[in-house]
């Protein structure tokens, strides 16, 4: 008989069933965790090296501009490619190319006088490669786990990001401080090699469509499909509301000054990741929630309320608490949005849906930085926080009223829908019932 503490833990802790039921999901999850950890080292080292070489804040900020256009353009193409090619092959080839870029950054850092221009070239190429890779990786997940484990799989993927966001920057800072910038690139290269070895063991995930040369114009089909789905459009708009209005990272250096706590800038940056990690490690209850659309909207409202509350917080501790709550709410929204996309979008369109999601995910934070910075320049830091939070909260309320299909969305109407069956040749001769691998068995 299960004890009360065990039942409590099972309801609270994340459901790890996808990791044990699917060998391929386990490999993909592990590969992404390793890559993320190493990539954070490079994401930390590149701005620092540019600052050391140029001494210009503008030169450091220009990295984001160099990355944005390739991420958007190749994210669109990556979505089309994910619906045409073997998704595992796209992810693997992209990972190899990213490893080559990491090796080039290491070689440049080891020069007597490193050049700055390779850092910009590498940043742009890496953004393009990630734009190609990410839709295939995201569209692959629903092929690796059964429909009733998609929420748990999304939570595990979010947990990976949350842990990386907390641990990675601290580890990268320590390595760079003690061993220098080249050591950070060396760590990234080593993690890429391990990630490639893991991805190489994943079975092929061929496209459900006829093979053919992908065309960027095919992305329009994905947009047309989304336009016919008000609930899907609502998830995109809720994501935009949260990132454009209530993701105030551009304000953190000035907020630290306003709080007379410049030493706590790192805490402000990591507070959201701490909130995500706390939500992820106590998110076992999410798999028992069926009305995912309602949770997307409520999460956006909570993000807005927490951000607005930060504007009224009297001291550093209260501000950090508000940002932690906002980070946890962001995690909830991302988890349930991912479940809606994975459960209800047809497999032959999943890549393009992921490309559209990546387009919005890239544009939202960039627009949010512009909004927050411009408003803060005119009205002050606290006003920018307050206005953004209230706009996010109001947007969630408007979306709930304007898009009833999203508010009523129930996952039980979609379980099993659009989940592709696999070729009979992939079926094993025998496998214990409690360890069935959905990458090999036909979906229920």
């Amino acid at each position: 008989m299960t004890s009360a503490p065990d039942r409590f833990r099972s309801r609270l802790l994340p459901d790890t069933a996808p990791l044990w039921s699917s060998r391929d999901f386990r490999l993909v999850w592990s590969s992404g965790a390793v890559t993320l950890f190493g990539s954070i080292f490079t994401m930390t080292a590149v701005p620092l090296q540019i600052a050391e070489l140029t001494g210009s804040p503008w030169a450091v900020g220009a990295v984001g501009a160099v990355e944005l256009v390739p991420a958007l353009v190749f994210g669109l193409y990556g979505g089309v490619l994910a619906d045409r090619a073997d998704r595992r092959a796209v992810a693997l080839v992209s990972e190899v190319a990213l490893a080559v870029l990491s090796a080039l950054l290491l070689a440049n850092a080891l020069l007597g006088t490193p050049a700055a221009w390779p850092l910009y070239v590498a940043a742009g190429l890496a953004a393009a490669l990630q734009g190609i890779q990410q839709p295939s990786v995201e569209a692959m997940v629903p092929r690796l786990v059964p429909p009733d484990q998609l929420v748990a799989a999304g939570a595990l993927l979010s947990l990976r990001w949350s842990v990386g966001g907390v641990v990675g920057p601290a580890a990268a800072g320590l390595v760079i401080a003690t061993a220098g910038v080249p050591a950070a690139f060396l760590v990234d290269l080593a993690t890429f090699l391990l990630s490639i070895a893991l991805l190489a063991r994943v079975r092929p995930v061929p496209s459900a469509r006829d093979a053919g040369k992908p065309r960027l114009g095919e992305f329009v089909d994905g947009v047309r499909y989304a336009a016919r789905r008000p609930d899907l459009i609502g998830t995109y708009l809720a994501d935009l509301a949260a990132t454009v209005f209530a993701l105030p990272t551009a304000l953190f250096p000035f907020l630290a000054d306003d709080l007379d706590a410049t030493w706590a800038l790192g805490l402000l940056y990591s507070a959201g990741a701490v909130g995500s990690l706390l939500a992820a490690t106590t998110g076992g209850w999410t798999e028992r929630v069926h009305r995912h659309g309602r949770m997307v909207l409520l999460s956006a409202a909570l993000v807005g309320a927490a951000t607005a509350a930060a504007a009224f917080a009297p001291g550093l501790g209260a501000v950090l608490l508000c940002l932690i709550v906002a980070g946890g709410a962001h995690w909830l929204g991302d988890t349930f949005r991912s479940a809606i996309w994975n459960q209800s979008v047809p497999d032959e369109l999943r890549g393009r849906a992921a490309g559209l999601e990546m387009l919005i995910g890239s544009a939202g934070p960039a627009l949010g930085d512009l909004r927050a910075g411009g408003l803060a320049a005119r009205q002050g830091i606290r006003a920018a926080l307050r206005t953004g939070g209230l706009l996010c909260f109001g947007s969630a309320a408007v979306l709930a009223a304007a898009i009833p299909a999203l508010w009523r969305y129930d996952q039980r109407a979609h379980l099993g829908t659009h989940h592709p069956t696999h070729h009979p040749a992939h079926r094993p001769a025998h496998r214990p019932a409690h360890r069935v691998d959905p990458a090999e068995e036909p979906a229920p």
Side-chain angles (χ1 to χ4, degrees), residues 134-145:
Q134 185 172 326
S136 286
V137 173
E138 292 186 6
M140 194 175 359
V141 171
R143 298 278 292 275
L144 305 182
V145 299

Side-chain angles (χ1 to χ4, degrees), residues 68-406:
L68 182 59
V69 173
L72 297 181
V73 173
F74 285 90
L76 300 181
Y77 184 74
V80 174
L81 190 62
D83 290 333
R84 281 285 190 181
D86 185 315
R87 291 166 183 170
R88 174 260 195 183
V90 173
L92 183 57
V93 171
S94 301
E95 198 80 348
V96 171
L98 286 165
V100 171
L101 283 180
S102 185
L104 293 175
L105 285 172
L106 174 60
N108 180 64
L110 291 173
L111 295 175
T113 305
W117 65 265
L119 301 176
Y120 292 102
V121 173
L125 290 175
L129 288 167
Q130 288 163 356
I132 291 173
Q133 183 189 59
Q134 185 172 326
S136 286
V137 173
E138 292 186 6
M140 194 175 359
V141 171
R143 298 278 292 275
L144 305 182
V145 299
D148 60 351
Q149 290 185 6
L150 283 172
V151 175
L156 289 170
L157 292 170
S158 296
L159 175 61
R160 185 181 68 188
W161 281 98
S162 301
V163 172
V166 173
V167 176
L174 180 62
V175 168
I176 292 172
T178 56
V181 167
F185 295 135
L186 181 60
V187 170
D188 193 20
L189 177 58
T191 59
F192 270 124
L193 295 178
L194 178 55
S195 173
I196 290 167
L198 292 169
L199 276 179
R201 297 179 60 201
V202 176
R203 281 176 286 269
V205 185
S207 168
R209 306 175 65 200
D210 294 333
K213 184 178 180 180
R215 295 177 293 101
L216 188 58
E218 293 180 59
F219 185 77
V220 176
D221 295 336
V223 175
R224 288 172 179 162
Y225 171 78
R228 296 194 298 269
R229 290 274 311 276
D231 51 350
L232 205 61
I233 291 295
T235 66
Y236 294 139
L237 293 176
D239 189 22
L240 276 176
T243 53
V244 172
F245 297 135
L247 194 64
T249 52
L251 301 179
F252 288 163
F254 309 100
L255 183 59
D257 285 337
D258 182 75
L259 293 166
D260 195 24
T262 54
W263 56 269
L265 178 59
L267 296 178
L268 294 174
Y269 277 118
S270 62
V274 170
S276 295
L277 180 58
L278 291 174
T281 53
T282 58
W285 58 271
T286 57
E287 65 179 285
R288 290 179 289 279
V289 176
H290 300 296
R291 297 191 177 277
H292 293 172
R294 194 163 297 182
M295 290 304 300
V296 167
L297 292 168
L298 292 175
S299 298
L302 181 56
V303 169
T307 303
F312 298 99
L316 176 64
V319 169
L320 289 174
L321 179 60
C322 291
L323 295 178
I324 288 171
V325 171
H330 272 293
W331 179 88
L332 285 175
D334 290 343
T335 296
F336 287 108
R337 270 193 300 274
S338 174
I340 291 174
W341 298 333
N342 288 336
Q343 288 171 343
S344 65
V345 176
D347 184 72
E348 64 272 15
L349 287 168
R350 278 202 183 109
R352 280 163 285 181
L356 181 58
E357 184 269 332
M358 183 177 177
L359 175 66
I360 292 170
S362 299
L367 293 174
D369 284 346
L370 290 174
R371 181 210 64 82
L375 191 59
R378 294 193 302 272
Q379 299 182 11
I381 303 304
R382 299 284 183 153
L385 274 174
R386 180 176 62 251
T387 302
L390 293 176
L391 284 173
C392 179
F393 185 90
S395 296
V398 169
L399 289 174
I403 309 180
L406 179 59

